[in-house]
Amino acid sequence: MRAAVDLSPFREFLTQGAVFLTPGLRLSRVMTQAVVEEQMRGGQAVTQPPTIRPVDGWLESVWRQQVEAGNLPPRRLLGRVAERRLWMQIIRADMERQADFSLIKPTAAAEQALRARQLWLMWGGNPENKTQRQYFGFDPDCATFDRWCSEFTAQLARKGWATRADIYRSLLTVPVSSKEIVVLCHVLQLPPLTHQVLSHLASLKIPEALGEQSLLPLATQQFPSRRTEAMAIAAWAARRHRENLGSTAIVLLDFERDRPDLEYQLRREFDCLGARYAALPVNFSSGMPLSKTPMFRDALLALRLAVANEKVSLARSEVLALLRSPFLHGGEDLDGVGLLQLRKACTELSSEVIDKRDLHHLAEIYAPESHLTRALQLLRTDRATQGKRLPSLWLDTIREVLKLWQWPGRAALDSLEYQQFERLEIALDELVVQDCITGELTFQQLTLLWEQCLDDRVFQPKTDDTAVQVFGPQEVVGLQIDALWICGLQSGSLPPRAQLLPFLPNRLQHELGLLSADSAALEKSAIALLSSLRTTHGDVSASYASVQEGLEVLPSQLACAIPPHDPVKEQQAPDHWPMPSPLESLDEGNVAVAGAVIQWGGGASVISNQSNCPFRAWVSHRLGPANVATPVFGLTAAERGNVVHDALHFTWEVLKDSDSLRAMTPAQVDALIQDSTERAVQSLERRAQGRHCNIRKRVGSACLDLEVQRVAALLKSWLEFEVQREGNFYVLEQEDSHELPLGSLVLKLRPDRIDRLDDNRQVVIDYKTGSVRRSSWLGERPGDPQLPLYALLNESVEGVAFGRVHQDGAEYVFLGEALGLGVKEVPLPDQVKQYETVPIESWEALRTSWRHRLERLADDFVKGHAAIDPQPQACRYCALGSVCRYTQTADLTDEALQGGLGDAL
């Protein structure tokens, strides 16, 4: 196995008292350890390693020394959070002064402004240079940034603060009598200002062995997708680790994008997806923001609920995460009945957000004895989070709130969780240094500030030195790895594409030679990176995915694409995983059914699902999974449909028959419509209250008022259409319950409406607000068998109809003869002939056909027939696509795809 770092290029400087500067902290630590081990092997009783520091860390220490010596004025060096906060204050103050100027996202603008000023100064820019300042006047955005930048610089001067670029510029004014030797160790790229300061303070040395560059393209394996690329890399790394073939590292050129796929494949290879989750022998060098770790994520949620403001709300997903959190509630049974019911109630809410009052209300109903409810009750009366204070004075309150929630919850934390918990005091210290920037804050403002601090603090867990290492492209420079794999070497990744930065004039960016805006400089930097990796590492491999998001991707210009050595095999479960239980054959003829009728429950949807797709019927009505509703703004489609149905119900509850309708004056009709729609909305509110939800609060009174207007217009159009029906009719019943024996099932049906005509025949009417088709009732597998089921309720039913109520008018889509439904009627055989293979001559023949087909579907359901056999259009609105995977099969027909299966997922 190779040494962690090669010291041979630097030995001639080790005895000269030189300072060694590295691009990052990792390499400096590894080099220091290597020097100490070498000195110990040489027999030295006391080791004296040289100064080995990252470039920025050493320059900061020199600046502090100069301040202590009195050569520079004392100034406070701002961290990134404090600097961003100052930018936000300046931007918001400027927006208040500029009446014709506003920003949608001032926080993002502050981050861009911070970066723009930093790069401007680090790449040799000078805010005092009049020529450079003139460039800003030609673009409104640049002129606005120039105004912000002037105020930012003035604020730094008034308050004695400085950014890193400012302290570097101040070091250029320090007189230097003698320069010490500074050796740059694998430093591939330095901003001009950094290089200028180093040259001013020291005599720079670069070992000759580190300056060599190779222009040969790197052999790069081509994979058909990112998934297969990640699978191959994970299998390669796991094999090397198990066979102890030396140090192994993976470089992700796009760390944020590629890490999730690669981590999953590595966990799968090492069997660390379940109880051994924390035992993964892989070290991800870039870590993750502390705010994104589960422990601190849940702590922030608990703090947000402690804010002394009843209008505080959380996203529904955040509330569910809070209820499932193992780090809160003191290890309470998360699967208790009360908390399960509370989770279900929160899941069924159609709202995108849930405010604190509603969560407290639901918790008192479903889990009154839970720790969650007790914590919310105490927070409701606690005054500790009221008022404004300096961030440092809020620390005790944060600790008290976390103690109330019993964070971190479990007494026995695993290794990763304990390492996160150890960061608490350091993370709280970040707030202390914000006093000078923010002034007094409310507890809500403090919580947002602490979240920003945690965003900027990266959590890097400690792992075994023999673990597989996963690096970003800059973090692996200078190390020595036996085998290295570079992932994602495609066009646009290395070298990256040149991009002009916002807020800085284009001409200024080109004159300064900003790296991000110079294609030639980016290519040179990429060549230097690959050359360094090939020089210091052993076996260097690379790969890329040729197709991403359905588009073909080319390899990098520095790569030579080759097919993979071994084709990626279909992913198999690890050998030690238990095999699935073998299926047993069941002879259906020997199945004994207790009784002649089995009542599975449900209504017409059982037959409808069995007809559209047997598998959907089997999952929906036997397994019964709950479909999580997607949050929507305003009323859901189901709620809007219910309002229309209720309004029609209340209207005919008053009218009863066609004679009453025709006898009413227009004013009476309008009054009836207004009363019916208002009653329908009130009914909607009562149903929501039954679920402990205030729908008026959720969608707003204005939304409900608009819904009343919409439904009133629909109702008026419908009644005008009903007046034109031929003959008289009487509304016999509305939404009455019926039981229909059908084969081995007993279905519970509730027709929207049944009319009795003058000749005592009955017509079943089902209200619809969307598109309808007569063909959905016909064929061997009717797409919508609801009305055919209603036709079997009694012998008097001789017609079925969809009553379509919509904005463009009203219409009946029906089957039957002489029904008087306001449209030109044709004989029944002509109505059905284009949809039936066998001629239907009469209504009785149609009813007999329906009964035969529907009984067959009912028997299939009882027998457990659950083939994945959807009809065209059946998958379009089905929520089970991730279960059946039908749309992912390779043998889909064009007809199936055109029928909507391509939109199923």
Side-chain angles (χ1 to χ4, degrees):
M1 182 179 291
R2 289 187 169 206
V5 68
D6 181 15
L7 295 178
S8 57
F10 313 108
R11 283 202 173 88
E12 61 175 301
F13 303 106
L14 288 174
T15 58
Q16 300 177 19
V19 174
F20 296 85
L21 301 185
T22 64
L25 185 60
R26 178 183 294 273
L27 181 58
S28 65
R29 288 175 175 171
V30 173
M31 286 187 64
T32 301
Q33 182 178 356
V35 171
V36 169
E37 291 176 353
E38 188 173 272
Q39 290 177 353
M40 292 177 66
R41 285 195 299 268
Q44 291 184 223
V46 178
T47 60
Q48 294 180 331
T51 301
I52 305 177
R53 300 283 298 279
V55 173
D56 290 334
W58 183 76
L59 287 176
E60 183 179 332
S61 67
V62 171
W63 173 73
R64 296 188 185 279
Q65 293 169 8
Q66 295 296 329
V67 171
E68 293 172 0
N71 296 328
L72 291 174
R75 304 177 75 180
R76 179 190 290 272
L77 178 61
L78 297 181
R80 191 173 185 87
V81 175
E83 187 177 350
R84 187 193 302 117
R85 192 83 184 182
L86 180 57
W87 276 109
M88 288 178 62
Q89 292 177 359
I90 291 171
I91 291 172
R92 283 174 174 156
D94 186 66
M95 288 170 59
E96 292 177 359
R97 290 191 299 267
Q98 305 291 329
D100 59 341
F101 174 76
S102 64
L103 285 172
I104 297 177
K105 297 182 178 180
T107 304
E111 182 66 31
Q112 292 286 2
L114 183 155
R115 185 166 179 247
R117 183 180 185 272
Q118 178 186 14
L119 290 175
W120 183 18
L121 298 183
M122 295 300 292
W123 287 85
N126 185 359
E128 300 172 2
N129 187 309
K130 293 183 179 180
T131 302
Q132 292 185 9
R133 293 292 292 273
Q134 287 176 354
Y135 296 155
F136 288 86
F138 300 110
D139 182 86
D141 289 344
C142 296
T144 300
F145 168 73
D146 187 36
R147 186 170 65 244
W148 296 345
C149 198
S150 298
E151 177 61 23
F152 183 84
T153 304
Q155 291 262 28
L156 295 181
R158 282 197 301 268
K159 298 182 179 180
W161 300 337
T163 67
R164 186 169 296 278
D166 294 311
I167 68 172
Y168 287 5
R169 296 182 73 208
S170 67
L171 286 173
L172 292 174
T173 65
V174 174
V176 179
S177 56
S178 61
K179 297 184 177 183
E180 57 185 325
I181 299 175
V182 169
V183 182
L184 297 181
C185 307
H186 302 283
V187 179
L188 304 181
Q189 184 76 39
L190 282 175
L193 178 59
T194 306
H195 192 277
Q196 186 179 0
V197 174
L198 289 175
S199 300
H200 174 71
L201 297 175
S203 175
L204 295 181
K205 304 292 183 181
I206 301 178
E208 294 183 3
L210 302 182
E212 301 175 359
Q213 294 188 3
S214 172
L215 298 179
L216 293 176
L218 182 63
T220 303
Q221 296 184 52
Q222 175 183 333
F223 291 94
S225 66
R226 286 170 50 193
R227 179 173 178 269
T228 54
E229 182 184 15
M231 287 170 54
I233 296 173
W236 168 81
R239 178 180 58 82
R240 287 187 54 82
H241 181 77
R242 293 192 184 101
E243 297 177 7
N244 197 22
L245 298 179
S247 55
T248 305
I250 303 166
V251 175
L252 300 181
L253 295 179
D254 191 337
F255 203 95
E256 290 187 3
R257 185 199 67 178
D258 291 330
R259 172 176 174 162
D261 286 343
L262 179 63
E263 181 175 355
Y264 173 79
Q265 297 299 339
L266 286 168
R267 289 190 178 280
R268 200 174 188 283
E269 287 288 341
F270 286 106
D271 191 23
C272 293
L273 286 170
R276 297 180 64 249
Y277 191 86
L280 182 68
V282 178
N283 177 38
F284 289 88
S285 64
S286 291
M288 66 170 58
L290 202 56
S291 63
K292 299 300 188 292
T293 61
M295 181 180 290
F296 278 91
R297 176 203 64 197
D298 294 348
L300 288 169
L301 291 176
L303 291 176
R304 286 169 60 186
L305 284 176
V307 172
N309 182 353
E310 290 297 324
K311 295 183 179 180
V312 170
S313 60
L314 300 177
R316 186 176 69 169
S317 59
E318 292 177 327
V319 171
L320 295 176
L322 182 81
L323 297 178
R324 292 192 299 264
S325 172
F327 304 108
L328 306 174
H329 321 305
E332 188 174 54
D333 181 12
L334 299 179
D335 295 325
V337 175
L339 285 177
L340 288 175
Q341 291 177 336
L342 176 57
R343 272 184 247 164
K344 183 175 185 293
C346 293
T347 301
E348 290 176 346
L349 291 176
S350 299
S351 178
E352 180 70 40
V353 296
I354 302 174
D355 67 31
K356 183 167 66 174
R357 288 175 297 182
D358 287 344
L359 177 61
H360 190 185
H361 176 65
L362 292 172
E364 287 183 331
I365 293 172
Y366 293 104
E369 302 300 324
S370 68
H371 176 267
L372 168 72
T373 306
R374 293 193 297 271
L376 291 173
Q377 289 170 344
L378 290 173
L379 290 173
R380 192 169 189 174
T381 58
D382 189 12
R383 298 182 178 274
T385 59
Q386 295 181 355
K388 288 188 174 184
R389 304 177 202 169
L390 291 174
S392 59
L393 300 180
W394 280 115
L395 300 189
D396 288 340
T397 305
I398 291 178
R399 293 189 180 95
E400 288 300 320
V401 171
L402 294 179
K403 182 179 179 181
L404 172 63
W405 284 97
Q406 300 184 6
W407 184 88
R410 295 186 300 205
L413 301 175
D414 64 31
S415 174
L416 292 180
E417 293 165 353
Y418 186 74
Q419 291 179 50
Q420 294 171 25
F421 181 65
E422 284 184 318
R423 286 1 185 233
L424 175 62
E425 293 303 322
I426 298 175
L428 289 175
D429 288 343
E430 292 276 355
L431 292 174
V432 177
V433 300
Q434 307 297 323
D435 284 1
C436 61
I437 297 289
T438 64
E440 293 186 338
L441 301 174
T442 65
F443 191 74
Q444 186 173 17
Q445 293 170 331
L446 176 92
T447 303
L448 293 174
L449 176 62
W450 197 38
E451 184 173 2
Q452 294 173 6
C453 295
L454 296 175
D455 276 338
D456 284 342
R457 179 166 289 278
V458 175
F459 169 66
Q460 177 56 56
K462 300 175 183 177
T463 55
D464 190 351
D465 291 338
T466 61
V468 175
Q469 305 290 324
V470 182
F471 296 103
Q474 301 298 329
E475 297 157 343
V476 73
V477 172
L479 302 178
Q480 285 203 138
I481 309 292
D482 291 313
L484 183 77
W485 190 313
I486 303 173
C487 171
L489 190 59
Q490 70 239 7
S491 176
S493 62
L494 192 73
R497 296 181 178 88
Q499 291 182 334
L500 293 171
L501 299 175
F503 293 146
L504 292 180
N506 297 351
R507 181 173 178 180
L508 180 61
Q509 295 188 49
H510 288 296
E511 286 187 0
L512 296 177
L514 256 65
L515 181 63
S516 59
D518 190 337
S519 298
L522 288 171
E523 182 177 353
K524 183 178 178 181
S525 176
I527 292 173
L529 174 62
L530 287 183
S531 299
S532 174
L533 299 184
R534 298 171 101 175
T535 300
T536 57
H537 297 77
D539 180 18
V540 178
S541 305
S543 63
Y544 83 103
S546 60
V547 176
Q548 293 185 19
E549 298 180 358
L551 300 177
E552 184 178 357
V553 177
L554 297 176
S556 167
Q557 62 199 68
L558 306 179
C560 177
I562 58 174
H565 301 307
D566 300 311
V568 180
K569 299 178 181 179
E570 185 65 27
Q571 206 165 38
Q572 302 292 334
D575 295 337
H576 64 280
W577 283 17
M579 295 297 292
S581 301
L583 298 178
E584 298 180 6
S585 299
L586 180 64
D587 184 1
E588 295 182 0
N590 295 329
V591 176
V593 179
V597 176
I598 299 178
Q599 299 188 36
W600 289 94
S605 61
V606 175
I607 304 301
S608 177
N609 286 330
Q610 186 71 23
S611 179
N612 279 279
C613 178
F615 179 78
R616 184 165 77 186
W618 182 78
V619 173
S620 300
H621 300 285
R622 295 205 183 200
L623 302 183
N627 186 24
V628 179
T630 302
V632 297
F633 292 103
L635 297 173
T636 66
E639 289 168 340
R640 298 180 73 191
N642 286 336
V643 172
V644 175
H645 275 68
D646 287 346
L648 287 164
H649 178 93
F650 293 138
T651 298
W652 287 110
E653 193 176 60
V654 173
L655 290 175
K656 302 295 186 182
D657 56 34
S658 56
D659 291 338
S660 299
L661 174 60
R662 292 164 182 157
M664 295 187 76
T665 66
Q668 290 174 324
V669 171
D670 291 342
L672 175 61
I673 289 173
Q674 186 67 25
D675 180 66
S676 297
T677 52
E678 290 178 354
R679 288 177 61 190
V681 171
Q682 292 168 6
S683 178
L684 176 69
E685 293 185 81
R686 286 195 297 272
R687 282 195 294 268
Q689 289 171 359
R691 304 192 308 270
H692 308 287
C693 170
N694 188 330
I695 200 166
R696 186 170 292 274
K697 175 183 174 182
R698 194 192 91 208
V699 305
S701 295
C703 179
L704 293 182
D705 292 342
L706 289 173
E707 190 64 16
V708 168
Q709 297 177 24
R710 183 187 77 89
V711 175
L714 289 177
L715 203 53
K716 186 176 181 64
S717 174
W718 178 253
L719 293 180
E720 290 174 351
F721 175 71
E722 288 274 66
V723 169
Q724 301 172 11
R725 283 178 58 176
E726 298 178 4
N728 299 318
F729 61 89
Y730 175 80
V731 178
L732 188 64
E733 62 179 66
Q734 292 192 89
E735 300 186 12
D736 288 1
S737 295
H738 296 266
E739 287 190 351
L740 174 67
L742 190 69
S744 302
L745 291 178
V746 173
L747 301 180
K748 295 181 179 180
L749 306 177
R750 293 185 63 186
D752 286 346
R753 174 176 149 194
I754 298 179
D755 284 2
R756 187 180 64 206
L757 306 181
D758 287 337
D759 55 4
N760 289 325
R761 290 184 304 148
Q762 296 179 9
V763 179
V764 182
I765 298 172
D766 188 57
Y767 297 125
K768 295 292 183 182
T769 56
S771 60
V772 294
R773 302 186 312 276
R774 181 182 289 147
S775 60
S776 63
W777 304 326
L778 303 169
E780 290 298 318
R781 291 169 59 185
D784 188 356
Q786 187 176 16
L787 280 171
L789 288 169
Y790 294 162
L792 303 180
L793 288 175
N794 62 68
E795 298 296 328
S796 298
V797 174
E798 294 196 17
V800 293
F802 280 135
R804 189 177 179 221
V805 189
H806 56 103
Q807 290 293 119
D808 298 329
E811 63 176 326
Y812 276 116
V813 177
F814 63 90
L815 277 177
E817 294 183 344
L819 301 179
L821 295 181
V823 294
K824 183 178 179 180
E825 299 186 4
V826 297
L828 179 66
D830 294 337
Q831 297 176 25
V832 302
K833 64 180 180 180
Q834 58 179 318
Y835 309 114
E836 295 288 343
T837 56
V838 178
I840 301 293
E841 300 296 338
S842 66
W843 177 257
E844 283 304 316
L846 181 59
R847 278 169 48 92
T848 301
S849 174
W850 276 343
R851 180 171 291 280
H852 172 74
R853 293 167 181 175
L854 298 177
E855 285 182 345
R856 176 174 49 79
L857 291 171
D859 291 339
D860 286 346
F861 174 77
V862 172
K863 293 176 182 177
H865 175 59
I868 302 175
D869 182 21
Q871 295 197 73
Q873 303 288 341
C875 295
R876 183 178 292 275
Y877 301 110
C878 180
L880 301 177
S882 60
V883 180
C884 71
R885 306 292 180 91
Y886 181 74
T887 58
Q888 299 177 22
T889 58
D891 56 349
L892 286 179
T893 64
D894 292 339
E895 180 184 358
L897 290 173
Q898 292 171 1
L901 300 180
D903 299 333
L905 296 180

